[in-house]
Amino acid sequence: MSEPYNYGSNNSQKATHAALPPPKSTSSGNRNIVEKRFLAPGAAFGPLKAGDLRSPQDSPPRRINDLPTELIILILDAALDEVVTLPYYQGGYYLDRLKTLAAVCSTWRSTIQNTPSFWAHIESTITSDEMNYMLRKSGKRNLAFRYVMKADSGHDFRSLAGLDSPLDSSYFFELASSNMFRCSSLLAGVTSYRQLAHILESPAPVLRDATVIASDCRFNEPVSLFGGQAGGLETLWLSHINIQWDSGLPPKLRRFKVSYTNAPIAWLPHPRQVVSALSNCSGLEVVDLSGAIMVPGPLEWPGLGVQGPMVELPTLKELKIENMMIAGSAYIIQHLSTPPLQNLELTERLRIHSEPVALLLYPPSRLLLESIRGALPSCDKVILEIGYQHLVLEIEGVGGHVHLLLHCTDPDELTRWLAEEFASELSSVPELKLGVSSMLYESELQSLPKLIEALKSVVRLHCPLVQAAAGVLVEHLAWPYLAGDGWRWHWPRLKHLRLDEAYNWNELALTMLRERYGASQEENGGTSDGIPKWYPSPLTTLSLRGMDVLHPETYQEILNIVGEEVMEEDACVD
């Protein structure tokens, strides 16, 4: 068969049908060859300097086609990398880019023709003739398959190829499934995974990374991932794929993400199945269970109270569970033994059913305890939002990230648990963002004062919504407390204060600031106990959004207390 691009004689080899070991990195290998062969000892790989060349008679190449073959391959690799690394929903331009590079000069054309690795990236946006040509030219190299659901408008892949053959997706799937034993990378975005069923169940012993995203759930047949023969797979991302969880996961998996949205309940894994599947992969670093992984109620998950074996994941760094009910998330983290995580996220973004948060806290999970304990000491900020059957806890900082977003019947229980378990770690937190729903009564916030008291080093306080807890906040800031060595003020380091809706409790806000800082900057007063007030006010910034418009007199009194230079300009409230 003639060559589609008329690049010269076809010296391609017949495609092999035997499984091969994974290829070595072409870029790093060629870089070492070039350094040893063309550079003097100790010379850096980069712009040439005097003495870098191996012999005095050598000189830098004057024309682009005079470069060493190894260096040309590095340049071509870099030029192709831009289209190779596109996400699953883009791409389809690889062969077009290869053709453009081959047209630069005869040397580059010859290099491309004689380098099998350049022909090992096969996409669904080319014709069957082109696929077969690339398959032959790839020789014994491992292959990368990319299926693109839709090509971007403005790119006619058939005209780029100079051929009239129609694009045939079914042929791509057939070619890919029959060559999965040579596939090291699979990337596909499809409407239904019915199209990829044969590919997903074909043995793939050299597969290293796979991303398969389906957009609907109309095909219900569960698949056994790569026939249980993907022993080298390290990265796996699946969406809307009904997998056989009981068959386990590939043993060398390091990064695993699976997501569902509006999937049939039969697809959704029981938490015990998740734990069992993860037990096969002791080298996991990232686990992400995303989407609507939920059931209508706890009765759909019988046996959650039955304890199972602990699963050791000594290298796990990140665990994300989204939209799984508290009971399911609790079961999973209570059965995983890991080091403190760099990122732990348990989030319910869809409200279906509220459960007691105590299911997550008792018995305490070592994974949860140690991840919070590791994140708090060096954190930048703690975010706490308490709502009606809703709570958010987020800890941000270099020591780690913990994010809990839960629909629960007892949000105050988490506040109490934090204050009791982490009093020492909370004492060094520099910033607090506190939000309390106006639907709550102060009686429902019994543990909040204890938590606020544990936060001894707050420098920045931001309260987007705190009217329901305004009394708690005023009590904490307005009056000193008696310590063992005398009277002390809470939060002595407080420099930045932002109260977004203090216009709803403007008199309380004025009382709090007057009692803490005095009636004005000129007054060096004291409390009724004789304790000096802060003089002058140590605040660097104070933000009272909308107060100047809604309560100008109160705003002016506060201005007299803290000083005009401290006040920040804020947008007016509608």
Side-chain angles (χ1 to χ4, degrees), residues 46-317:
L48 292 174
K49 298 179 292 186
D52 280 355
L53 296 175
R54 282 195 170 274
S55 60
Q57 63 269 24
D58 288 334
S59 60
R62 297 181 179 179
R63 297 178 301 176
I64 194 168
N65 57 358
D66 289 337
L67 293 171
T69 300
E70 294 88 345
L71 191 54
I72 292 175
I73 291 175
L74 285 176
I75 295 171
L76 294 171
D77 275 334
L80 291 166
D81 188 63
E82 181 183 358
V83 293
V84 169
T85 57
L86 288 171
Y88 73 91
Y89 51 84
Q90 296 178 348
Y93 320 127
Y94 180 85
L95 194 53
D96 178 38
R97 177 67 61 88
L98 194 64
K99 178 182 178 181
T100 301
L101 294 171
V104 170
C105 64
S106 59
T107 301
W108 283 30
R109 181 167 61 250
S110 175
T111 302
I112 290 173
Q113 278 285 68
N114 296 310
T115 306
S117 62
F118 291 142
W119 301 94
H121 189 90
I122 301 177
E123 298 177 324
S124 62
T125 50
I126 60 177
T127 66
S128 57
D129 289 341
E130 293 166 331
M131 293 179 196
N132 285 320
Y133 180 76
M134 294 187 74
L135 187 64
R136 292 196 310 273
K137 293 292 291 182
S138 66
K140 297 182 179 181
R141 291 284 180 166
N142 289 342
L143 303 171
F145 290 116
R146 176 192 289 262
Y147 180 81
V148 183
M149 190 184 306
K150 292 182 179 179
D152 291 344
S153 59
H155 288 83
D156 185 342
F157 295 96
R158 285 171 291 177
S159 64
L160 289 172
L163 296 176
D164 296 325
S165 304
L167 300 181
D168 187 354
S169 295
S170 62
Y171 188 82
F172 172 85
F173 295 132
E174 181 182 345
L175 181 139
S177 62
S178 61
N179 286 277
M180 281 301 294
F181 65 92
R182 292 179 55 193
C183 179
S184 62
S185 176
L186 174 64
L187 203 61
V190 296
T191 302
S192 168
Y193 75 91
R194 178 195 296 272
Q195 302 165 279
L196 291 173
H198 291 304
I199 293 176
L200 289 173
E201 293 190 324
S202 298
V206 298
L207 188 63
R208 290 291 177 267
D209 60 89
T211 298
V212 182
I213 310 297
S215 59
D216 65 40
C217 307
R218 288 178 292 180
F219 184 59
N220 290 317
E221 291 299 319
V223 297
S224 174
L225 287 174
F226 308 109
Q229 300 181 51
L233 187 59
E234 296 182 350
T235 301
L236 178 61
W237 178 15
L238 303 173
S239 179
H240 293 106
I241 309 296
N242 185 12
I243 65 173
Q244 296 179 5
W245 284 88
D246 292 334
S247 298
L249 296 171
K252 292 187 179 180
L253 208 57
R254 296 173 59 192
R255 293 165 293 275
F256 174 55
K257 177 176 180 178
V258 60
S259 61
Y260 304 98
T261 303
N262 300 322
I265 290 179
W267 288 26
L268 308 181
H270 190 288
R272 283 182 295 163
Q273 290 178 299
V274 174
V275 172
S276 177
L278 297 180
S279 66
N280 296 336
C281 317
S282 60
L284 274 169
E285 298 176 4
V286 177
V287 175
D288 186 339
L289 309 176
S290 301
I293 307 179
M294 61 172 61
V295 293
L299 295 179
E300 299 291 339
W301 281 338
L304 275 185
V306 179
Q307 293 297 310
M310 293 293 292
V311 174
E312 300 282 341
L313 297 178
T315 60
L316 191 67
K317 300 176 182 178

Side-chain angles (χ1 to χ4, degrees), residues 399-457:
H401 176 245
V402 176
H403 185 198
L404 306 181
L405 191 164
L406 305 171
H407 298 296
C408 56
T409 56
D410 52 347
D412 190 61
E413 185 63 30
L414 177 70
T415 310
R416 185 180 71 82
W417 181 75
L418 287 170
E420 292 179 354
E421 287 284 349
F422 306 102
S424 175
E425 293 82 2
L426 288 167
S427 64
S428 62
V429 172
E431 181 172 355
L432 172 65
K433 181 178 179 181
L434 177 64
V436 181
S437 170
S438 58
M439 297 179 65
L440 296 176
Y441 295 99
E442 195 167 312
S443 59
E444 298 177 89
L445 305 170
Q446 297 180 10
S447 303
L448 185 59
K450 189 173 183 179
L451 177 66
I452 288 178
E453 186 175 347
L455 294 158
K456 300 182 181 302
S457 302

